[in-house]
């Protein structure tokens, strides 16, 4: 029997093997990431494992997929449920960049501390918004909806196995093998010819719309390894002649703690695809939609910390307007130094970041104080940062945009259609978790248990951020 956790780890491996055979540059990226992580571990083991054990970090991947309809989203949610992955967060990328991105997204991932420790595989999942009039007029929407309604991305046998795995908490060996093969095959690049005129019509509006609605299947867009030093990785990839996008998205490199998420990618590669021309002939050609991405994860910020992050990014935009990536990075660093505390302790005491607590079994002599900060300072409790497990809308939009050769077009004078986490939850038929709630309850549960062990109660020590 393979549990949902075993299935998740096995699916991540299977997808990785499949994608590596399709995109050899991904294999290079994984090799370089593994080398970077080994070097960081050798240089400073404590620092290397501060945000997760090295075996977890080295196995860690996130994927990105894109679907066309609410029904497809619901089906893929069923597949992920079999893997112990639930929808977390809502990202609306429409209108965030100058690039045309007619999609909304969520991330499927494990939600408990235990499941994350076993395998934290997560998938950034986007769905087209075909009724958004800024992108699609009525006629095109009707054609697009009809095109999408004719395709079936996930075979019934896969969905039946997924329901069983979810209900029973896993699958027996034979069923698991079948499930993994079917699930992996859904994300392979299809040899089916692409209708050139249809694809190009959508591509004029948005490259992402064409990638989703211009073809009859879906595919994994990228798989992202996690590194412990993204700047070193960037240098090593560049030395190997791989062109990276010009900016590392998210926080800068600096001397203080890493927070949230830093990401970068290499440019989408030209891949051979077959095209059907207007006269019915089929010819060879190329499309560039799949790219390589890498990430470095930091500490999860509380809503107050996240608000500060968002304001810092606005300040960076203002101060670095019109400057190149290098100058922008210098501005980021300066803004970080001005606003963000440069120690974990201060991040914690100012309620900016999430931590877990555990009793140390020691502490200064005498009665333990009735205050969380004092309990940590006095050595009764140990505070360990909680890793950020989610994504950043602004960075995601930047990653999308930097990999599209054409910004597309949209009519900003039209009203966009309404989408939010409630819409997403209703379509999927499952709760869409609030990421902050997940971090908060993880922090709270650890503190309650730690206080219990000290014979203290929550009431006496006040509340957490
Ligand atoms: C997703 C782009 C965003 C990330 O890690 O933020 C992303 C996509 O290309 O489908 O990958
Ligand atoms: Ni990604």
């Amino acid at each position: 029997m393979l549990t949902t956790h075993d299935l998740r780890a096995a699916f991540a491996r299977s997808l990785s093997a499949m994608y590596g055979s399709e995109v050899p540059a991904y294999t290079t990226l994984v090799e370089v990431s593994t080398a970077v992580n080994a070097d960081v571990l050798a240089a400073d083991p404590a620092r290397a494992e501060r945000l997760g054990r090295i075996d977890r970090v080295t196995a860690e991947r996130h994927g990105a997929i894109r679907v066309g309809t609410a029904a497809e989203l619901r089906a893929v949610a069923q597949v992920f449920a079999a893997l112990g992955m639930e929808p977390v967060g809502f990202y609306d990328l429409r209108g965030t960049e100058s690039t045309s991105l007619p999609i909304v997204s969520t991330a499927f991932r494990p939600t408990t501390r235990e499941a994350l420790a076993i395998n934290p595989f997560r998938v950034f999942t986007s769905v087209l918004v075909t009724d958004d009039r800024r992108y699609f007029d009525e006629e095109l929407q009707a054609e697009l909806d009809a095109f999408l309604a004719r395709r079936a991305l996930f075979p019934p046998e896969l969905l039946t196995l997924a329901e069983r795995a979810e209900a029973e908490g896993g699958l027996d060996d034979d069923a698991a093998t079948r499930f993994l093969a079917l699930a992996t095959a859904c994300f392979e690049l299809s040899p089916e010819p692409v209708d050139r005129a249809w694809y190009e019509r959508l591509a004029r509006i948005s490259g992402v719309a064409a990638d989703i609605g211009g073809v009859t299947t879906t595919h994994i867009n990228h798989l992202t390894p996690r590194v412990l030093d993204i700047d070193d990785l960037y240098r090593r990839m560049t030395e190997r002649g791989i062109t990276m996008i010009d900016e590392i998205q998210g926080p800068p490199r600096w001397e203080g703690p890493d927070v949230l998420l830093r990401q970068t990618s290499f440019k989408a590669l030209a891949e051979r695809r077959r095209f059907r021309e207007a006269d019915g002939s089929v010819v060879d050609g190329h499309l560039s939609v799949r790219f390589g991405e890498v990430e470095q994860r930091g500490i999860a910020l509380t809503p107050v910390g996240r608000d500060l992050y968002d304001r810092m990014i606005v300040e960076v935009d203002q101060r670095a307007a019109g400057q190149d990536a290098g100058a922008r990075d210098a501005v980021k660093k300066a803004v970080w130094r001005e606003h963000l505390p440069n120690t974990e302790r201060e991040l914690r005491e100012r309620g900016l970041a999430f931590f877990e607590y555990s009793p140390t079994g020691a502490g200064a002599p005498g009665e333990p104080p009735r205050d969380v900060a004092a309990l940590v300072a006095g050595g009764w409790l140990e505070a360990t940062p909680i890793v950020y497990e989610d994504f950043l809308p602004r960075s995601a939009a930047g990653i999308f945009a930097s990999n599209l050769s054409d910004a597309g077009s949209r009519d900003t004078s039209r009203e966009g259609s309404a989408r939010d986490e409630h819409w997403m939850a209703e379509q999927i038929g499952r709760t869409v978790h609030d990421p902050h709630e997940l971090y908060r309850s993880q922090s709270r549960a650890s503190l309650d248990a730690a206080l219990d062990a000290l014979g203290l109660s929550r009431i006496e020590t006040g509340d957490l951020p």
Side-chain angles (χ1 to χ4, degrees):
M1 164 102 174
L2 270 75
T3 67
T4 53
H5 303 304
D6 300 329
L7 287 171
R8 179 170 66 258
F11 180 65
R13 280 195 302 273
S14 164
L15 206 58
S16 185
M18 181 274 280
Y19 187 57
S21 71
E22 291 184 341
V23 180
Y26 163 73
T27 308
T28 307
L29 188 64
V30 170
E31 279 164 17
V32 177
S33 301
T34 307
V36 167
N37 291 350
D39 286 355
V40 174
L41 185 69
D44 189 347
R47 204 203 105 205
E49 297 208 291
R50 184 71 183 149
L51 295 170
R53 288 170 45 109
I54 195 73
D55 54 347
R56 169 191 150 158
V57 171
T58 303
E60 188 161 339
R61 300 282 183 277
H62 87 243
I65 61 165
R66 307 158 173 186
V67 298
T69 65
E72 290 173 359
L73 186 64
R74 195 183 180 95
V76 86
Q78 177 62 70
V79 174
F80 289 137
L83 306 172
M85 295 158 69
E86 298 169 47
V88 181
F90 175 79
Y91 304 83
D92 190 345
L93 302 184
R94 298 172 297 165
T96 50
E97 279 280 324
S98 47
T99 308
S100 183
L101 300 171
I103 45 166
V104 292
S105 316
T106 186
F108 289 90
R109 67 166 176 89
T111 56
T112 67
R113 182 182 197 284
E114 293 71 28
L116 286 161
I118 296 169
N119 186 296
F121 187 54
R122 50 178 96 72
V123 179
F124 191 84
T125 303
S126 304
V127 60
L128 259 185
V129 187
T130 64
D131 65 355
D132 194 315
R133 290 282 171 265
R134 292 173 295 183
Y135 304 94
F136 310 102
D137 63 27
E138 250 161 80
E139 192 191 318
L140 184 53
Q141 185 203 342
E143 279 180 70
L144 183 51
D145 287 346
F147 181 93
L148 293 168
R150 281 195 299 273
R151 71 184 193 180
L153 301 182
F154 306 101
E157 185 190 356
L158 172 66
L159 297 174
T160 306
L161 285 169
E163 280 167 28
R164 202 167 105 203
E166 185 187 8
E168 295 171 11
L171 290 172
D172 59 61
D173 285 358
D174 289 346
T177 305
R178 180 78 185 140
F179 171 81
L180 290 167
L182 288 170
T184 306
C186 290
F187 299 103
E188 280 172 14
L189 203 60
S190 164
E192 198 47 38
V194 177
D195 182 326
R196 191 189 298 274
W198 173 238
Y199 191 94
E200 286 181 353
R201 203 168 140 207
L202 292 173
R204 280 193 287 278
I205 293 165
S206 157
V208 176
D211 181 46
I212 301 173
V215 293
T216 52
T217 59
T218 189
H219 39 258
I220 177 94
N221 178 277
H222 59 266
L223 266 184
T224 298
R226 177 171 163 196
V227 275
L228 296 169
D229 186 341
I230 199 168
D231 304 276
D232 189 18
L233 178 120
Y234 191 100
R235 258 188 313 273
R236 293 194 203 190
M237 291 297 280
T238 308
E239 275 163 22
R240 287 189 178 217
I242 293 174
T243 311
M244 307 298 284
I245 64 171
D246 57 2
E247 189 180 348
I248 293 179
Q249 308 281 328
R253 180 188 196 89
W254 77 313
E255 57 287 351
D258 284 318
V259 298
L260 300 174
L261 180 61
R262 303 182 67 206
Q263 296 172 295
T264 191
S265 62
F266 61 73
K267 290 274 185 196
L269 305 166
E271 293 183 287
R272 275 177 71 119
R273 301 278 279 268
R274 296 197 308 148
F275 289 88
R276 179 169 293 108
E277 305 292 359
D279 64 6
S281 61
V282 172
V283 299
D284 281 336
H286 291 93
L287 283 179
S288 303
V289 286
R290 307 206 296 172
F291 51 85
E293 186 197 37
V294 65
E295 66 186 16
Q296 178 174 344
R297 291 195 169 258
I299 310 175
L301 295 183
T302 61
V304 177
R306 177 52 185 269
D307 197 53
L308 173 60
Y309 174 79
D310 290 338
R311 281 186 281 118
M312 289 196 296
I313 290 292
V314 170
E315 185 172 335
V316 171
D317 283 346
Q318 286 162 354
R319 284 166 55 174
Q323 299 185 36
D324 67 13
R328 194 177 148 83
D329 200 58
V331 171
K332 262 190 200 170
K333 206 173 287 196
V335 169
W336 250 243
R337 287 179 177 149
E338 281 164 40
H339 298 286
L340 199 67
N342 64 4
T343 60
E344 279 185 15
R345 178 184 174 145
E346 213 185 327
L347 280 176
R348 180 167 43 76
E349 291 182 352
R350 284 177 48 189
L352 296 172
F354 284 112
F355 288 81
E356 275 192 326
Y357 299 88
S358 53
T360 58
E367 274 294 292
R370 299 312 194 240
D371 173 77
V372 178
L375 285 166
V376 177
W380 280 275
L381 291 184
E382 188 187 344
T384 312
I386 295 180
V387 180
Y388 188 60
E389 303 288 351
D390 294 286
F391 294 87
L392 295 170
R394 172 66 187 267
S395 298
I399 296 280
F400 267 112
S402 62
N403 278 289
L404 293 170
S405 51
D406 187 323
S409 60
R410 65 182 155 180
D411 180 354
T412 48
S413 68
R414 313 267 330 230
E415 196 61 27
S417 48
R419 291 291 188 277
D420 60 13
E421 58 272 31
H422 304 293
W423 175 88
M424 185 77 91
E426 202 169 302
Q427 302 306 315
I428 299 180
R430 296 169 188 271
T431 303
V432 174
H433 298 278
D434 171 355
H436 286 137
E437 280 307 318
L438 295 175
Y439 299 121
R440 187 180 292 115
S441 62
Q442 187 180 335
S443 176
R444 186 77 252 177
S446 71
L447 182 62
D448 285 348
L451 292 177
D452 225 32
L454 292 177
L456 298 174
S457 79
R458 173 198 294 215
I459 294 92
E460 291 175 298
T461 53
D463 211 0
L464 286 172

